[in-house]
């Protein structure tokens, strides 16, 4: 590593330049990771927070609540199973999007989750008690920032039904819309009016252990899936995740190309030094270790600094922006950048090993 470290000191300007470029790629990749996580949280945090393990929906619904309509006929086989087995709970769940108008004329968007009395889906005991009383809404804590208070009345646009705010709870969001809870009966009256006929969107299932649901699913006429699989039904979830993954992939490929191009040019410029090392008896393995070690120092330093700057910038992002930096994705991005950068340098390996020692003895410039 003697020659590698000396090169780093002597040619620090060009190494600093390529380091800045790699650091910027690391910064962008980390920021995109935060945006991707923020969008995911904004799309499914409410569903993720519900204490369920599976969802049973109408066949062909493709994880979407808006495409699924079930009735008590579908629910009965599940309830029969609960009465015969321990460790399983089921509850009907209604999910729809509404606009609600405040008394001052402002309109807010609501992802309304209708839950049955006594359901395990209630986020907290106080919310369960509120929903067991008169018809009303228990709003996600995020609505507090809009100035809404307990006792305010919200008019559901389209049906002109006025509902009081009964309280607040942590609920998160679904489909990038903050969640509100109501009783299942209230939800049914808003969606179906007087013609509800016991309809709802899905059956929430909580199982204490992995259980085979195929037989129950068939009798109930439903399609059951895990909660994680149901995330795909959140509006925009799949498209947003795919887009962010594609952009991050392009950045990683670009990083590998940058490193590969730099290392190739740098190897050409160092051909005389490499030839001299070989003329003095250095093996190909020694020369490769020297060159790759030099690149690893630049890569790791630049990537770590870029990720650290991104963390600092992430702390300044306003809360209104869906942005969330998490350790696991950041570590994955950093490691992937280093690995792909080293892989990109392999294009110059053959040139290093093929340098003839006679080059060092050449009198040509």
């Amino acid at each position: 590593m003697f020659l590698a470290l000396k090169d780093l000191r002597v040619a620090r300007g060009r190494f600093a330049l390529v380091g800045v470029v790699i650091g910027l790629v690391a910064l962008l990749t980390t920021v995109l990771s935060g945006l991707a996580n923020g969008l995911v949280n904004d799309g499914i945090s409410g569903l993720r927070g519900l204490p369920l393990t599976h969802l049973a929906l109408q066949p062909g619904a493709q994880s979407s609540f808006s495409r699924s309509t079930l009735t008590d006929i579908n629910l009965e086989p599940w309830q029969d199973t609960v009465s015969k087995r321990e460790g399983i709970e089921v509850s009907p769940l209604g999910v729809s999007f509404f606009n609600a108008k405040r008394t001052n004329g402002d309109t807010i968007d609501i992802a309304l989750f209708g839950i049955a009395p006594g359901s395990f889906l209630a986020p907290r005991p106080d919310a369960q008690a509120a929903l067991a009383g008169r018809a009303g809404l228990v709003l996600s804590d995020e609505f507090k920032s809009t100035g809404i208070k307990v006792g305010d009345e919200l008019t559901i646009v389209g049906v002109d039904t006025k509902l009081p705010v009964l309280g607040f709870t942590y609920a998160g969001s679904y489909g990038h819309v903050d969640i509100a809870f109501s009783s299942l009966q209230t939800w049914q009256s808003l969606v179906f009016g007087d013609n509800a006929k016991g309809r709802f969107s899905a059956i929430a299932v909580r199982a204490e252990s992995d259980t085979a649901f195929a037989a129950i699913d068939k009798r109930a006429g439903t399609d059951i899936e895990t909660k994680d699989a149901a995330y795909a039904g959140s509006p925009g979830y799949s498209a947003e995740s795919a887009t962010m993954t594609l952009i991050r992939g392009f950045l990683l490929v670009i990083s590998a190309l940058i490193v590969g191009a730099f290392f190739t040019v740098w190897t050409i410029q160092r051909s005389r030094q490499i030839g001299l090392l070989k003329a003095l008896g250095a093996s190909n393995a020694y020369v490769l270790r020297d060159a790759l070690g030099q690149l690893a120092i630049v890569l790791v330093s630049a990537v770590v600094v870029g990720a650290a700057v991104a963390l600092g910038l992430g702390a300044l992002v306003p809360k209104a922006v869906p942005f969330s930096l998490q350790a696991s994705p950041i570590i994955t991005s950093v490691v992937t950048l280093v690995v792909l950068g080293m892989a990109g340098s392999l294009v110059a390996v053959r040139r290093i090993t093929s340098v003839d020692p006679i080059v060092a003895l050449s009198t040509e410039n």
Side-chain angles (χ1 to χ4, degrees):
M1 290 292 290
F2 172 78
L3 183 61
L5 295 175
K6 184 175 181 181
D7 278 341
L8 287 174
R9 289 194 298 268
V10 173
R12 54 183 176 272
R14 67 183 67 185
F15 282 109
L17 180 60
V18 73
V20 168
V21 174
I22 296 170
L24 287 174
V25 173
L27 186 151
L28 287 174
T29 303
T30 306
V31 169
L32 280 175
S33 174
L35 287 173
N37 291 331
L39 286 171
V40 167
N41 289 338
D42 204 44
I44 63 170
S45 62
L47 180 57
R48 179 188 285 161
L50 291 178
L52 57 89
T53 57
H54 298 77
L55 279 169
L57 298 102
Q58 178 181 327
Q62 299 178 339
S63 306
S64 175
F65 290 114
S66 62
R67 299 176 183 175
S68 176
T69 302
L70 303 177
T71 66
D72 291 337
I73 296 176
N74 306 104
L75 181 61
E76 287 175 3
W78 287 99
Q79 291 177 328
D80 291 341
T81 301
V82 171
S83 64
K84 298 174 183 177
R85 296 189 191 179
E86 294 183 358
I88 299 178
E89 295 179 85
V90 299
S91 176
L93 172 66
V95 179
S96 294
F97 293 96
F98 289 97
N99 292 326
K101 184 178 291 186
R102 300 173 58 186
T103 53
N104 62 4
D106 291 343
T107 301
I108 59 174
D109 297 322
I110 291 176
L112 187 62
F113 280 44
I115 59 177
S119 171
F120 64 87
L121 295 175
R124 291 199 313 234
D126 57 343
Q128 181 67 272
L131 294 174
R134 60 179 179 143
L137 303 172
V138 174
L139 303 181
S140 173
D141 288 333
E142 285 79 4
F143 284 106
K144 289 181 179 179
S145 62
T146 65
I148 297 176
K149 299 177 181 179
V150 174
D152 290 354
E153 279 195 335
L154 299 178
T155 302
I156 306 301
V157 177
V159 293
D160 294 331
T161 299
K162 292 185 178 181
L163 294 173
V165 176
L166 304 177
F168 293 90
T169 187
Y170 171 74
S173 55
Y174 182 73
H176 304 293
V177 179
D178 293 328
I179 287 176
F181 288 99
S182 73
S183 66
L184 183 62
Q185 183 179 3
T186 300
W187 178 87
Q188 289 171 331
S189 68
L190 294 175
V191 177
F192 303 109
D194 296 330
N195 194 33
K197 297 181 179 178
R199 288 179 285 183
F200 49 87
S201 303
I203 300 171
V205 181
R206 179 164 66 179
E208 294 181 357
S209 59
D210 292 337
T211 307
F213 293 117
I216 314 169
D217 215 24
K218 185 175 181 180
R219 286 191 293 113
T222 56
D223 276 349
I224 192 165
E225 57 189 30
T226 63
K227 180 163 68 171
D228 289 349
Y231 295 159
S234 173
Y237 175 84
S238 298
E240 290 166 356
S241 299
T243 300
M244 286 298 180
T245 300
L246 186 62
I247 294 174
R248 290 168 66 187
F250 275 125
L251 281 173
L252 293 173
V253 172
I254 290 170
S255 176
L257 292 175
I258 291 172
V259 173
F262 170 78
F263 197 51
T264 300
V265 173
W266 185 238
T267 300
I268 294 172
Q269 293 177 343
R270 297 174 65 226
S271 295
R272 293 176 64 84
Q273 294 175 342
I274 294 172
L276 181 59
L277 282 175
K278 289 187 176 182
L280 293 173
S283 64
N284 279 330
Y286 175 86
V287 177
L288 280 175
R289 285 197 302 270
D290 186 80
L292 294 177
Q294 182 185 72
L295 179 63
I297 292 173
V298 176
L299 260 177
V300 173
S301 301
V303 170
V304 170
V305 170
V309 172
L311 286 172
L313 293 176
L316 303 177
V317 176
K319 291 184 178 180
V321 178
F323 187 86
S324 175
L325 288 172
Q326 298 177 358
S328 179
I330 292 175
I331 294 173
T332 300
S333 296
V334 167
V335 172
T336 304
L337 275 173
V338 173
V339 170
L340 288 181
M342 296 300 294
S345 70
L346 294 179
V347 297
V349 167
R350 186 177 181 278
R351 183 174 292 276
I352 292 175
T353 58
S354 63
V355 171
D356 195 326
I358 198 66
V359 173
L361 305 177
S362 174
T363 57
E364 297 180 5
N365 293 326

